[in-house]
Amino acid sequence: MNPTTFQELNLPDALQKGIDALGFTSMTDVQQTALPITLAGKDVAGQGRTGTGKTATFLVTAINRLLTSPPKTGRKHNFPRALVIAPTRELVIQIASDAHKLAQFTDLKIHTVYGGVDYEKQLKAFDDGVDILIGTPGRLIDYLKKRAYELKLTEMLVIDEADRMFDLGFINDLRFMMRRLPKFDERQSLMFSATLSHRVMELAYEHMNQPVKLRAEEGGITASGIVETMYHTAMDDKLPLLIHLLRESNVERGMIFINEKRTGERLARNLARYGFSVGILSGDVRQAKRVRILEDFTNGKLQLLVATDVASRGLHIDGVTHVFNYDLPEDAENYVHRIGRTARAGAAGTAISFSCERFCFGLPDIEAYVERRIPLVSITNEMLDIGKPTHPDAHAEGMGAGDKAESPHGKSGGKPGNGRPPRGGGRGRSSGRPRAKKG
């Protein structure tokens, strides 16, 4: 029978103190299944629902390995013992934050590299030494080519969100780095992904040592603690319906997903005008501002976060009670990642989706992907009567005070926001999807 608590794993005292400080006691299903295998030194290709503790699984494994085995002979200060590769800056920042907390009572040195911040500062930090290196593929390769570090003696490789590496065009970069690591049977490799597709497993079998393929949970691919509902709504009714639902549920921390940056800007400004503290997160927001917005949202200074799919993976923010799909995602898989921002690590959460005339065409694919119908809820006229804005001059964090807002029913006095699909069809390519760019 697999252990159910971290204390049963007989981890080093320094690591156990870090786990205790985070308040972790019982393990999630993913951790109960994977940790006995990974701590034994075996390679794993693991699939688990989003928000089920995969990050803690590979970090506990890496820190345990580094604490219980001596460094290889001849290792230099800039030869990382463990390498963690993740596809996005937000995910790298989150992993690094968790790593620092788990390793806070150890002497391990953790270094993080990603694009959008001071290049030279990250480069110089290698001089202080590194045991665990966490980064995005582009920036990792840049520093590797500059010989800021070497991978010849790396003992452990972790690839997080492997399926998204393909989606963002990072697969060649990934293979470039894996070819510079010790041979597959001279290191431990862990690969985690929300979906273990054929192409992901092909990569696993090519670069891993007889990996154990794990799917830690039975049943659907969305977390069991999420209550899902769907509203069929007109474009012009989406904003008043959202405001009504936010008020009715007294949402203290919620995420609202949209497909296009311009939709998010109008939506965030209007929510601010109706008295909600709101931030907006998209690929075009500067990195320093993105970090500050995420910190404010995590700390409770912001009530709502409006975001494109740049935030649909890797953000482990406690206490997100509600996720709203203001726009249905055009990629069915992103539906799972979006609603996975709530009900994390066994908590309960609510996911509410709007199926409007522009994005309703993706609903059959979503329901086919999750293998069930999403329950429908009817809209009444009272739900759309929200009154006038209470803070007409307010603006959202992440956008300027001069940015325009639409009216409560989708009109802004001009063409944008009028609820009509763009010319040439209603399902144009979403500008909110992250582009394939390095680091």
Side-chain angles (χ1 to χ4, degrees):
M1 182 176 180
N2 287 340
T4 59
T5 66
F6 286 98
Q7 285 78 9
E8 296 176 69
L9 297 174
N10 297 317
L11 299 168
D13 290 341
L15 174 55
Q16 187 62 56
K17 285 179 66 177
I19 293 172
D20 293 341
L22 288 172
F24 294 166
T25 53
S26 299
M27 293 187 287
T28 66
D29 290 344
V30 168
Q31 292 160 353
Q32 290 178 33
T33 304
L35 277 170
I37 298 172
T38 60
L39 291 173
K42 297 180 180 178
D43 288 10
V44 162
Q47 175 182 355
R49 299 176 192 141
T50 184
T52 52
K54 291 179 287 182
T55 302
T57 298
F58 65 71
L59 287 176
V60 167
T61 302
I63 295 170
N64 175 76
R65 183 184 181 99
L66 270 56
L67 292 178
T68 56
S69 61
K72 292 184 178 180
T73 306
R75 177 180 175 268
K76 299 179 182 178
H77 73 286
N78 63 338
F79 280 41
R81 298 180 64 189
L83 173 67
V84 181
I85 308 176
T88 66
R89 291 170 286 192
E90 287 74 23
L91 184 52
V92 165
I93 292 169
Q94 184 66 58
I95 293 171
S97 174
D98 293 344
H100 281 289
K101 293 173 184 175
L102 287 168
Q104 60 181 302
F105 299 105
T106 75
D107 295 327
L108 296 176
K109 295 181 179 179
I110 300 167
H111 185 34
T112 309
V113 298
Y114 50 88
V117 294
D118 193 314
Y119 186 93
E120 293 299 325
K121 185 177 180 180
Q122 287 186 354
L123 179 61
K124 185 173 177 57
F126 282 101
D127 296 339
D128 297 329
V130 55
D131 294 301
I132 302 176
L133 179 59
I134 307 168
T136 51
R139 189 57 65 98
L140 284 169
I141 289 177
D142 285 347
Y143 291 134
L144 185 62
K145 289 181 176 179
K146 283 183 173 293
R147 298 186 179 275
Y149 68 98
E150 297 283 349
L151 294 173
K152 299 175 182 177
L153 301 179
T154 298
E155 304 166 40
M156 186 167 185
L157 167 69
V158 177
I159 301 173
D160 196 19
E161 299 286 7
D163 52 345
R164 192 142 191 228
M165 295 286 188
F166 285 92
D167 296 340
L168 295 179
F170 283 136
I171 190 59
N172 290 334
D173 293 340
L174 200 57
R175 285 196 165 101
F176 175 89
M177 298 198 69
M178 296 174 83
R179 286 195 294 266
R180 282 151 181 81
L181 288 161
K183 293 181 180 179
F184 63 86
D185 56 351
E186 296 175 358
R187 56 174 162 83
Q188 182 181 9
S189 300
L190 307 180
M191 180 183 294
F192 289 90
S193 180
T195 56
L196 291 179
S197 63
H198 173 76
R199 58 184 183 175
V200 171
M201 290 310 302
E202 185 179 57
L203 182 71
Y205 292 134
E206 181 181 353
H207 292 281
M208 299 174 72
N209 185 24
Q210 297 181 329
V212 179
K213 184 177 178 181
L214 294 180
R215 177 168 180 173
E217 299 168 292
E218 299 300 327
I221 59 175
T222 56
S224 57
I226 302 177
V227 177
E228 300 170 64
T229 55
M230 178 78 65
Y231 291 86
H232 285 304
T233 175
M235 289 283 288
D236 288 354
D237 292 339
K238 289 167 72 172
L239 177 59
L241 177 60
L242 175 63
I243 293 173
H244 167 81
L245 294 173
L246 290 170
R247 290 172 174 172
E248 181 183 55
S249 300
N250 194 24
V251 176
E252 295 183 0
R253 186 171 298 171
M255 296 185 68
I256 304 167
F257 284 99
I258 40 82
N259 289 344
E260 298 176 348
K261 177 192 171 186
R262 61 179 182 178
T263 302
E265 289 173 341
R266 292 195 303 270
L267 176 59
R269 177 61 185 273
N270 273 289
L271 290 171
R273 293 173 66 224
Y274 276 83
F276 297 97
S277 57
V278 57
I280 181 170
L281 196 67
S282 69
D284 294 335
V285 176
R286 295 194 310 273
Q287 182 63 27
K289 183 175 283 189
R290 289 164 78 174
V291 171
R292 187 178 74 247
I293 291 171
L294 285 173
E295 287 178 350
D296 289 346
F297 183 61
T298 302
N299 296 332
K301 293 181 180 179
L302 293 175
Q303 179 183 4
L304 303 172
L305 184 65
V306 176
T308 60
D309 281 316
V310 71
S312 66
R313 296 199 193 192
L315 295 184
H316 309 312
I317 300 172
D318 293 334
V320 175
T321 59
H322 290 71
V323 168
F324 294 87
N325 283 306
Y326 190 80
D327 296 333
L328 280 182
E330 295 176 298
D331 185 337
E333 188 176 316
N334 283 340
Y335 175 82
V336 174
H337 295 303
R338 286 181 178 188
I339 69 172
R341 299 311 98 202
T342 188
R344 302 191 67 80
T350 299
I352 299 173
S353 300
F354 295 168
S355 176
C356 64
E357 61 262 36
R358 182 175 179 189
F359 296 109
C360 64
F361 303 102
L363 181 56
D365 290 340
I366 291 171
E367 293 186 328
Y369 186 73
V370 300
E371 299 179 343
R372 66 177 179 279
R373 297 290 298 272
I374 301 171
L376 290 174
V377 180
S378 300
I379 302 172
T380 64
N381 291 333
E382 290 76 12
M383 298 169 73
L384 305 179
D385 185 9
I386 57 173
K388 295 181 179 180
T390 54
H391 299 72
D393 297 323
H395 64 279
E397 182 67 24
M399 59 189 297
D403 293 324
K404 294 181 179 180
E406 63 188 39
S407 77
H409 294 283
K411 297 183 174 67
S412 58
K415 292 182 180 179
N418 61 10
R420 300 188 183 95
R423 217 174 266 181
R427 301 193 66 211
R429 182 176 177 84
S430 166
S431 61
R433 290 184 181 176
R435 295 183 180 178
K437 59 181 180 180
K438 297 181 180 179

